[in-house]
């Protein structure tokens, strides 16, 4: 028995729900699909709510925009089955046996199973290429590689988890803002959850603009830094945080902070251009983290 939980915001969820519904029906398992709209515009609300008339599919809506983490909370509390499959709205399963692959792993001794991300081979237009390039290099990680460090590569847009495990860690994430993945991996590690990564990918379709991706990245870094400074992250495998701690220990975070202050506009212009460097993006992130820890926002 499985609850498929989909948060959505200003996105048509119908193609995804149709594909999942088809696969679930073919599997003959007991299931529910719950879609929760996070305060979308009326256009998307009216479009998406037609799924409410299909058996085993339920549609709910928040009156205001709460964010994906809080929307996942609402989905979790509304669901009824012992396995929770969280899928973002802006994806599409790569395989016609996507559901079957997950269901076959339920009898195994795993607490959480991550299916992974992938991107199309054709690059998007120039003003949306940063997230695509980053996704190709970082988020498209094969299961056998991710399993060598199972808590480090956490992509929450496509994962299945035992209800009991999610319930155990849920009090720590209920009030979390942007940056869910960073903290989620830490909580799974602290709770010694048995995590398994597989090649059961979804295509990421909702790529954002370079500018928006930079803003989301900075929000995630700020959230990660707050969690670290509040001592909520003690056991982790986060590379960015490890680098920050090392620089701080060596007394070099001030230099990196100054680099961000002097050069952030120049770096951002390049990263928002048609051929952004991923090496520069990595450097930009650590300089921003150092600056944020010492000065806050510009």
């Amino acid at each position: 028995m499985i609850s498929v939980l989909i948060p959505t915001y200003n996105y048509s969820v119908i193609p995804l729900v149709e594909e999942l519904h088809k696969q679930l029906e073919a599997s003959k398992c007991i299931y529910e699909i719950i879609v929760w709209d996070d305060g979308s515009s009326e256009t998307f609300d009216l479009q998406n709510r037609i799924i409410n008339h299909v058996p085993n599919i339920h549609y709910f809506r928040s009156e205001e925009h709460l964010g994906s983490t809080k929307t996942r909370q609402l989905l979790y509390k509304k669901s009824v089955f012992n396995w929770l499959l969280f899928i973002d709205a802006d994806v599409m399963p790569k395989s016609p046996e996507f559901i079957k692959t997950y269901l076959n792993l339920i009898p195994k001794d795993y607490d959480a199973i991550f299916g992974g991300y992938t991107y199309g081979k054709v690059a998007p237009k120039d003003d949306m290429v940063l997230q695509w390039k980053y996704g190709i290099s970082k988020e498209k990680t094969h299961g056998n590689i991710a399993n060598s460090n199972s808590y480090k590569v956490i992509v929450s847009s496509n994962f299945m988890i035992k209800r009991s495990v999610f319930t155990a860690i849920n009090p720590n994430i209920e009030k979390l803002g942007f940056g869910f993945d960073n903290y989620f991996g830490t909580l799974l590690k602290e709770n010694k959850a048995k995590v398994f990564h597989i090649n059961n990918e979804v295509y990421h379709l909702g790529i954002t603009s370079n500018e928006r991706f930079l803003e989301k990245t900075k929000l995630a870094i700020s959230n990660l830094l707050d969690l670290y400074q509040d001592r909520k992250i003690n056991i982790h495998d986060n590379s960015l945080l490890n680098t920050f701690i090392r620089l701080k220990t060596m007394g070099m975070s001030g230099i990196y902070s100054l680099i961000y202050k002097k050069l952030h506009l120049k770096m951002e212009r390049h990263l928002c251009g048609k051929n952004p460097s991923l090496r520069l993006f990595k450097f930009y992130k650590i300089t921003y983290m150092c600056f944020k820890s010492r000065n806050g926002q510009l």
Side-chain angles (χ1 to χ4, degrees), residues 125-143:
K125 54 186 179 179
D126 291 346
D127 65 350
M128 302 177 74
V129 77
L130 178 59
Q131 185 178 8
W132 178 80
K133 289 185 70 172
Y134 180 75
I136 291 291
S137 69
K138 295 295 183 182
E139 293 177 348
K140 189 180 178 182
T141 304
H142 291 295

Side-chain angles (χ1 to χ4, degrees), residues 38-265:
D38 187 22
S40 297
S41 66
E42 184 178 0
T43 299
F44 284 102
D45 177 38
L46 292 174
Q47 182 179 358
N48 287 329
R49 68 172 50 252
I50 65 171
I51 63 176
N52 221 5
H53 303 292
V54 181
N56 300 324
I57 302 179
H58 313 285
Y59 176 85
F60 301 94
R61 183 175 188 269
S62 299
E63 291 302 317
E64 58 179 321
H65 183 54
L66 302 175
S68 61
T69 299
K70 290 183 179 179
T71 302
R72 282 195 180 108
Q73 294 294 313
L74 296 171
L75 286 161
Y76 154 71
K77 292 173 182 177
K78 186 66 70 172
S79 64
V80 298
F81 295 134
N82 292 329
W83 279 94
L84 312 176
L85 176 54
F86 285 95
I87 308 178
D88 283 356
D90 61 348
V91 306
M92 182 61 64
K94 183 179 179 180
S95 169
E97 296 193 342
F98 174 80
I99 291 294
K100 182 180 178 181
T101 300
Y102 271 128
L103 294 177
N104 287 342
L105 290 170
I106 286 179
K108 305 293 183 179
D109 189 27
Y110 301 123
D111 294 322
I113 304 162
F114 291 83
Y117 245 39
T118 191
Y119 289 78
K121 294 182 179 180
V122 179
K125 54 186 179 179
D126 291 346
D127 65 350
M128 302 177 74
V129 77
L130 178 59
Q131 185 178 8
W132 178 80
K133 289 185 70 172
Y134 180 75
I136 291 291
S137 69
K138 295 295 183 182
E139 293 177 348
K140 189 180 178 182
T141 304
H142 291 295
N144 58 344
I145 298 175
N147 283 317
S148 66
N149 197 347
S150 58
Y151 302 106
K152 183 176 182 178
V153 186
I154 298 297
V155 180
S156 62
S157 60
N158 169 27
F159 75 101
M160 187 172 71
I161 188 169
K162 284 181 180 177
R163 183 181 199 88
S164 58
V165 175
F166 194 84
T167 300
I169 65 178
N170 188 56
N172 295 297
I173 60 178
E174 279 189 302
K175 298 179 181 180
L176 184 66
F178 197 84
F180 179 89
D181 290 8
N182 289 327
Y183 194 33
F184 195 47
T186 294
L187 293 172
L188 289 170
K189 186 170 186 177
E190 287 179 350
N191 283 269
K192 299 180 180 179
K194 296 177 182 178
V195 172
F196 189 56
H197 295 264
I198 59 173
N199 294 322
N200 194 27
E201 300 157 320
V202 292
Y203 286 110
H204 186 201
L205 306 177
I207 298 176
T208 60
S209 69
N210 298 340
E211 290 84 356
R212 176 58 181 152
F213 184 61
L214 271 184
E215 288 302 314
K216 290 170 68 176
T217 298
K218 290 164 71 176
L219 282 171
I221 291 171
S222 296
N223 189 270
L224 176 63
L225 185 61
D226 288 343
L227 290 168
Y228 169 71
Q229 291 176 336
D230 291 342
R231 299 185 178 180
K232 293 181 179 180
I233 291 183
N234 299 308
I235 304 173
H236 66 88
D237 293 316
N238 187 279
S239 297
L240 180 64
L241 186 55
N242 282 334
T243 301
F244 168 75
I245 294 170
R246 188 161 58 249
L247 290 173
K248 193 173 180 181
T249 301
M250 296 168 61
M252 295 180 64
S253 63
I255 296 173
Y256 278 70
S257 173
L258 183 61
I259 291 172
Y260 178 84
K261 184 176 181 179
K262 296 292 185 181
L263 298 178
H264 74 279
L265 293 177

